[in-house]
Amino acid sequence: MAKVAVLGYGTVGSGVVEVLEKNAEAIKLKAGQEVEVKSVLDLRDFEGDPIQEKIVHDIDLIVNDPEIDVVVEVMGGVDVPFKFVSKCLEAGKSVCTSNKALVEAKGPQLLALAKEKNVNFQFEASVGGGIPIIRPLNTSLTADKILKVTGIMNGTTNFILTKMSNEGASYEEVLKEAQELGYAERNPEADVKGHDACRKIAILTSLYSGKTVKYGNITCEGITEVSNEDFAYAKELGCVIKLLASSYEKDGKIYAITAPFMIDKNHPLYNVNGVLNGIYVNGNMVGDLMFFGSGAGKLPTAAAVCADVVDCVRNLDRTLPVFWSEEELELGKTDDEVRAFFVRVKGTDINKAKEAFNDEINVVRVKGIDNEFAFFTEKMTEKEFNEAAAKLDVISRIRIDDTVLN
Ligand code: HSE
């Protein structure tokens, strides 16, 4: 029997215990032996809860327990989990985590340590919740050159944007609902400011490039500036606004960005709504791929962590290869990226907008929104856009993503 310890009995941690119990038979079959939770590390006691008898408060009780083969880290944060995960790997235990902050900040070091100790460090649930995306990139797509990844990778913000778009709900109201449903990070700023999605594209880009992409080097804008008026225009135009986390290769450089984008009905992510995530991948041989499913939430995320546990139990005596070196990847500059933009401008001086951009701009107006006009630009670099936009009184601008399935 393989014994597991869980660090953190929060939403995902309790989900991991539930999945391992509920699906014990199926997991035994797939893992080749029974898998049982022996210890759960948490600061709390959970008096009266059946988990109480497994609760420990000292990480060393887990680190020094020779029966424990696999440790699940679902605490959140970076510094303490890094210390605990390092200790566990040092002690010859495999570790599975859903903690993208830890994976983004320390992934290559922890992978190197796991390799040195002949164990595994797995992190499928760190991107896309229950959607398999790490394993496909690590295994199924190794013969492909990945040209583009673009995805809706944050359930909380997609839940908020979908409700604002479909129901006209207020931002605060929907954020509260997402938190109650267990989708949001402990600090929802990480969700709404785009940092969570940005970490996820940093992880995916690191995995397909084999080098380290730091999320702090990626242009990152959240959803806090997206307004009901922006949604009204999008609706009028048959478009939706989504927080996309993307990276792609162009002329030998990789560019990455996380920001709200306007997309039309031909875009593969147009119908990805609510807490669902969708990730589009394009490989030079395989072409288009779509990964779609629950991007957040207790059981989908826990199931992805438990699949890692099964993989670790199946491979207790060898390290599965993951290509992610500590060498930092120099990203292309956002200023050089080429795309079209949707712009809202104060006032009625359309000629000034034509002078700043060009004569062909298509002006859009929405009934009930006065003293402003909006238009799409042609494709141009971000630098050219910023220079032209600086000549106008811009209310908001939203980038356009025109990915289509081929
Ligand atoms: N807060 C994250 C989200 C959880 O909303 O997607 C899953 O990573």
Side-chain angles (χ1 to χ4, degrees), residues 27-100:
I27 288 170
K28 180 182 168 190
L29 200 69
K30 307 276 168 56
Q33 57 180 307
E34 274 179 61
V35 179
E36 190 189 89
V37 174
K38 183 175 180 189
S39 309
V40 174
L41 180 82
D42 204 285
L43 292 170
R44 297 160 292 178
D45 285 317
F46 296 98
E47 257 174 64
D49 187 308
I51 203 69
Q52 188 183 7
E53 63 188 43
K54 296 187 178 177
I55 292 285
V56 297
H57 301 304
D58 180 358
I59 183 68
D60 289 332
L61 292 174
I62 290 168
V63 172
N64 297 322
D65 185 337
E67 276 195 341
I68 292 173
D69 302 301
V70 183
V71 176
V72 166
E73 185 282 307
V74 283
M75 301 164 63
V78 176
D79 294 340
V80 176
F82 179 60
K83 201 170 125 196
F84 289 2
V85 168
S86 302
K87 273 184 158 206
C88 293
L89 292 171
E90 285 280 358
K93 300 177 192 314
S94 288
V95 176
C96 311
T97 185
S98 62
N99 182 345
K100 50 254 153 189

Side-chain angles (χ1 to χ4, degrees), residues 100 153-156 183-185 191 196 200 295-296:
K100 50 254 153 189
M153 300 192 198
N154 181 271
T156 303
Y183 302 153
E185 296 299 297
D191 296 297
D196 179 78
K200 290 167 177 168

Side-chain angles (χ1 to χ4, degrees), residues 69-141:
D69 302 301
V70 183
V71 176
V72 166
E73 185 282 307
V74 283
M75 301 164 63
V78 176
D79 294 340
V80 176
F82 179 60
K83 201 170 125 196
F84 289 2
V85 168
S86 302
K87 273 184 158 206
C88 293
L89 292 171
E90 285 280 358
K93 300 177 192 314
S94 288
V95 176
C96 311
T97 185
S98 62
N99 182 345
K100 50 254 153 189
L102 175 71
V103 175
E104 187 276 331
K106 306 286 185 189
Q109 290 101 302
L110 293 170
L111 285 165
L113 180 57
K115 195 171 175 201
E116 189 191 316
K117 297 292 168 184
N118 204 30
V119 290
N120 287 290
F121 176 62
Q122 301 247 313
F123 44 92
E124 178 60 69
S126 66
V127 180
I131 304 172
I133 183 66
I134 303 284
R135 203 167 272 106
L137 285 178
N138 271 340
T139 57
S140 329
L141 298 172

Side-chain angles (χ1 to χ4, degrees), residues 357-371:
F357 286 89
N358 74 39
D359 281 347
E360 304 305 318
I361 59 172
N362 269 329
V363 173
V364 190
R365 287 184 200 278
V366 168
K367 216 171 148 202
I369 301 180
D370 302 321
N371 303 319

